[in-house]
Amino acid sequence: AQSVAQPEDQVNVAEGNPLTVKCTYSVSGNPYLFWYVQYPNRGLQFLLKYITGDNLVKGSYGFEAEFNKSQTSFHLKKPSALVSDSALYFCAVRDGNTGGFKTIFGAGTRLFVKA
Amino acid sequence: GAGVSQSPRYKVAKRGQDVALRCDPISGHVSLFWYQQALGQGPEFLTYFQNEAQLDKSGLPSDRFFAERPEGSVSTLKIQRTQQEDSAVYLCASSGPGLQETQYFGPGTRLLVL
């Protein structure tokens, strides 16, 4: 069965500093991994995904994520945080071999960026 | 271009009432998903359609929940005899046909059952 863990409920970072939002996953087949961001009263917006290929994936708004197969992780990163990055971030996984189209989301990590 | 739209955006129902939530996917997207997002939680998968075929309904929490997509475009999620625990945001997403495709989400319908 697929599962996703976001071990931090909240991450606080100062504007201009690098940020990391952690995600670990479990699937029996090949993982398809996604990051979404949710602003208040809005739907989820896609940031980036890993399907295959280069382990470092670049996405929207300057975000990137690194796929680490041995650690089963897909941490979201940004070199320099902005106050406007403050939002709720969700990691999601789909089993590329056996899970069909079912996508499992983590519980979310709230990011606060202070000016 | 138009994204995924959902209606109504907010719905208040009395316990025991039936509700119907509508999703208009992005034009041409064959895949459509429904999720339930409880307060403070991540979205939980409910069901998935490929065109008009419901290929996975393993996440529907009870037989009170029913989804349809009769013509392969618009979808309706129906909840019969609503209970207070059904209160949540219901999200719809659509995508292209492949497993690697990105899902694009609508704004959600916030359901409150009193």
Side-chain angles (χ1 to χ4, degrees):
Chain A
Q2 305 141 251
S3 66
V4 174
Q6 293 182 242
E8 303 153 316
D9 290 338
Q10 184 171 310
V11 170
N12 297 311
V13 64
E15 188 174 35
N17 283 0
L19 69 87
T20 299
V21 182
K22 296 180 180 176
C23 171
T24 59
Y25 67 89
S26 175
V27 296
S28 55
N30 289 325
Y32 292 170
L33 294 154
F34 304 83
W35 275 102
Y36 286 85
V37 60
Q38 188 174 39
Y39 296 98
N41 298 317
R42 295 176 67 177
L44 277 72
Q45 295 179 34
F46 170 73
L47 282 178
L48 50 80
K49 66 182 177 184
Y50 171 82
I51 303 300
T52 187
D54 195 348
N55 289 344
L56 184 64
V57 178
K58 294 189 182 296
S60 307
Y61 312 118
F63 284 94
E64 58 189 29
E66 186 164 13
F67 170 63
N68 187 317
K69 187 173 183 178
S70 62
Q71 297 186 4
T72 62
S73 67
F74 190 56
H75 301 330
L76 182 70
K77 300 183 180 185
K78 187 173 182 180
S80 178
L82 299 172
V83 171
S84 57
D85 292 331
S86 299
L88 189 55
Y89 290 80
F90 291 98
C91 180
V93 67
R94 177 182 281 174
D95 188 324
N97 294 93
T98 64
F101 282 79
K102 188 170 185 173
T103 307
I104 303 300
F105 282 79
T109 298
R110 190 165 296 278
L111 174 66
F112 286 102
V113 181
K114 289 204 282 190
Chain B
V4 178
S5 61
Q6 293 185 246
S7 61
R9 290 293 310 277
Y10 302 92
K11 176 70 179 177
V12 179
K14 292 183 179 179
R15 189 159 54 100
Q17 190 177 353
D18 296 349
V19 298
L21 312 180
R22 177 187 169 106
C23 173
D24 284 81
I26 292 172
S27 178
H29 276 186
V30 301
S31 299
L32 186 144
F33 305 80
W34 283 100
Y35 293 87
Q36 181 189 60
Q37 186 176 20
L39 192 63
Q41 301 295 318
E44 291 210 13
F45 172 86
L46 293 177
T47 187
Y48 158 70
F49 290 85
Q50 184 104 346
N51 296 305
E52 69 278 4
Q54 190 175 20
L55 299 185
D56 188 340
K57 53 181 180 179
S58 62
L60 296 176
S62 77
D63 59 8
R64 296 186 294 104
F65 287 71
F66 172 77
E68 60 183 6
R69 194 185 185 199
E71 296 178 1
S73 55
V74 171
S75 178
T76 303
L77 177 67
K78 297 180 179 179
I79 309 174
Q80 297 176 323
R81 305 181 302 282
T82 52
Q83 304 294 316
Q84 285 187 319
E85 62 262 28
D86 300 334
S87 296
V89 175
Y90 291 85
L91 296 170
C92 176
S94 71
S95 76
L99 269 177
Q100 73 283 7
E101 303 273 0
T102 298
Q103 293 176 60
Y104 294 92
F105 282 80
T109 294
R110 186 177 295 274
L111 173 65
L112 177 62
V113 182
L114 303 177

